[in-house]
């Protein structure tokens, strides 16, 4: 068998007709016979090109409202017949089946139909049967057939047709076949997940068809890739290539800022907030966020939920940082920020993020619901005689949002809607608390009147004792320890307010 085939007959059946005209024109110029179905055939005829109907080949009309058009031995026989196998060729001759050398398909838009919120009946009708079957058949027989499985391949197909006058090599056919199976598996994954929304079938399926090679992984000796549609979430308008670690920090930043509605600025380092403040004016939010830890802010990721103005840009331009994220930028602010050629500048688009999280563990994958619970004052149950003041309640809610997005074990100290300090990623809650207190004092914060949030309950009273001696006046925690009573008694005897939420926020 020759490694090169000359295309003589092409079957075309597509949902989207745009971008198809140049292909039809070129195939006609090369003298390739066209066979098509329904709407695609009408489209080709309207362009003024000659095309045969699949019905003329099969001697059967399209039936069942278009559900059955190409599912016929005279179609699939012509695609699946092995050119090098004499018995296959004899059967084609016996049953008068023409060989089909190329198949062009564009599937029903199932994924888009689901995303649009269409009703169940409409979704079901967008499950492609004939098209997906054509793709699999042609891809399986790539040694003899070229499969073009979607619009994304039209440009490459035209290049091949122009360069080689319809002659396609085995390597090119195999590459197109691999892309076809990639598309078909992705398509089937979405169908399965649509039917398995209740998760009655314990099967984990995910498919990302967009990927990019990163400079390296977490460290230079590790390879790294990102799979996903980054451009759906961000518009990158300046800066160097985004790294593996940048992506981790950007993900943490976007999830953190999503819990804040008022004007807020945050600084993150290694996936944790090292500075965060909410203020009526953006410049004040930036100033107080930076004050939380101006040392750790160096080389960090900055994010705000408000349009970035010139005044704030001038101030943050004084700091070295990896990336800045905002929903929009004033023109003069961008001129300032772009002064550093490597600085990554991102516009954060409005988009719903996935509500499922997964990570590889051992020889498998862990999957869980995303922690989307954000407690408000109504969720706080006073556990002590003293009840928090309105100001303390506001700070408790503020601190608890930050603790939810910090690595466990974690303690967050806050005051007047400002992150004073945090202790994150510690092996004991006491160490996390001590670290937070020490850090706050090193930046000359007055801890009197500060509130404390913990991601999990206190197993002993020692944490509230240390906090009380440092000047902390209100505490928020899940509660649930068998020794909660000891912490409550200490708080009652030292005029500390404490509330329980019943919600733990571990993050590992």
């Amino acid at each position: 068998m020759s490694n090169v085939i000359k295309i003589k007959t092409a079957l075309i059946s597509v949902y989207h007709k745009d971008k198809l005209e140049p292909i039809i024109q070129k195939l006609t110029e090369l003298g390739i016979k066209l066979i098509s179905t329904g709407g695609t055939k009408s489209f080709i005829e309207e362009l003024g090109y000659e095309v045969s109907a699949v019905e003329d080949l099969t001697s059967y009309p399209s039936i069942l409202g278009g559900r059955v058009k190409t599912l016929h031995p005279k179609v699939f026989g012509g695609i699946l017949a092995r050119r090098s196998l004499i018995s296959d060729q004899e059967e084609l001759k016996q049953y008068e089946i023409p060989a089909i050398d190329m198949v062009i398909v564009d599937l029903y838009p199932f994924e888009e139909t689901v995303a649009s919120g269409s009703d169940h009946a409409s979704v079901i009708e967008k499950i492609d049967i004939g098209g997906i079957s054509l793709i699999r058949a042609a891809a399986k027989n790539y040694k003899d057939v070229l499969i073009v499985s979607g619009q994304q391949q039209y440009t490459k197909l035209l290049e091949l047709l122009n360069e080689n006058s319809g002659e396609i090599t085995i390597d090119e056919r195999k590459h197109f076949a691999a892309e076809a199976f990639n598309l078909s598996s992705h398509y089937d994954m979405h169908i399965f997940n649509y039917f398995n929304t209740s998760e009655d079938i314990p099967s984990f399926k995910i498919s990302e068809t967009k990927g990019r090679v990163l400079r390296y992984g977490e460290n230079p000796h590790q390879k790294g890739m990102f799979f996903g549609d980054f451009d759906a979430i961000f518009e990158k308008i300046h800066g160097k290539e985004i790294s593996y670690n940048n992506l981790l920090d950007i993900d943490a930043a976007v999830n953190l800022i999503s819990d804040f509605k008022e004007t807020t600025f945050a600084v993150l380092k290694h996936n944790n907030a090292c500075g965060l403040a909410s203020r009526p004016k953006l410049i004040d939010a930036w100033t107080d966020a930076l004050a939380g830890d101006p040392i750790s802010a160096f080389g960090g990721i900055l994010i705000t939920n408000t349009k970035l103005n010139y005044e704030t840009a001038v101030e943050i331009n004084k700091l070295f940082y990896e990336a800045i994220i905002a929903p929009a930028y004033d023109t003069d602010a961008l001129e300032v920020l772009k002064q550093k050629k490597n600085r990554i500048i991102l516009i954060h688009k409005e988009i719903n993020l996935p509500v499922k999280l997964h990570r590889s563990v051992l020889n498998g994958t862990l999957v869980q619901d995303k922690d989307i619970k954000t407690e408000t004052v109504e969720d706080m149950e006073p556990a002590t005689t003293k009840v928090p003041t309105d100001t303390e309640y506001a700070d408790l809610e503020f601190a608890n949002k930050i603790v939810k997005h910090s690595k466990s074990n974690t303690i967050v100290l806050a005051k007047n809607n400002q992150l004073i300090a945090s202790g994150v990623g510690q092996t004991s809650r006491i160490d996390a608390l001590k670290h937070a207190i020490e850090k706050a004092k090193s930046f000359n914060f007055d801890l009197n009147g500060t509130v404390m949030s913990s991601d999990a309950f206190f197993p002993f009273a020692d944490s509230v004792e240390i906090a009380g001696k440092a000047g902390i006046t209100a505490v928020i925690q899940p509660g649930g320890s068998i020794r909660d009573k000891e912490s409550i008694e200490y708080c009652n005897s030292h005029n500390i307010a404490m509330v329980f939420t019943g919600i733990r926020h571990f993050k590992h």
Side-chain angles (χ1 to χ4, degrees), residues 411 428-431 433-434 437 452 457-470 472 475 477 481 483-484 486-488 490-491 496:
I411 292 289
S428 79
R429 205 154 301 283
I430 283 289
D431 285 344
L433 174 57
K434 289 179 178 179
I437 292 172
M452 175 176 73
F457 65 63
F458 298 116
F460 305 100
D462 47 6
S463 291
V464 291
E465 181 179 349
I466 293 171
K469 290 178 179 178
I472 291 163
V475 178
Q477 59 139 320
S481 168
R483 305 180 76 160
D484 276 345
E486 296 175 15
S487 295
I488 294 170
Y490 183 88
C491 289
I496 300 171

Side-chain angles (χ1 to χ4, degrees), residues 442-455:
S442 71
F443 293 118
N444 299 314
F445 281 107
D446 179 9
L447 288 177
N448 288 306
T450 297
V451 305
M452 175 176 73
S453 176
S454 174
D455 60 336

Side-chain angles (χ1 to χ4, degrees), residues 73-132:
K74 283 204 170 184
V75 173
F76 282 85
I79 296 170
L80 286 166
R82 290 156 289 189
R83 298 346 184 226
S84 61
L85 199 61
I86 294 176
S87 59
D88 280 11
Q89 296 307 303
E90 289 176 345
E91 287 189 69
L92 290 187
K93 185 177 180 180
Q94 177 184 356
Y95 296 108
E96 299 180 342
I97 300 174
I100 296 173
D101 312 299
M102 180 168 72
V103 175
I104 301 177
V105 175
D106 181 61
L107 298 174
Y108 291 169
F110 177 83
E111 184 179 351
E112 294 82 354
T113 304
V114 173
S116 72
S118 296
D119 60 74
H120 181 69
S122 298
V123 170
I124 294 301
E125 286 308 309
K126 286 300 183 287
I127 298 177
D128 205 311
I129 302 301
I132 204 76

Side-chain angles (χ1 to χ4, degrees), residues 496-507:
I496 300 171
M498 183 164 64
V499 297
F500 289 169
T501 65
I503 302 294
R504 188 181 72 184
H505 288 297
F506 270 167
K507 188 170 185 279

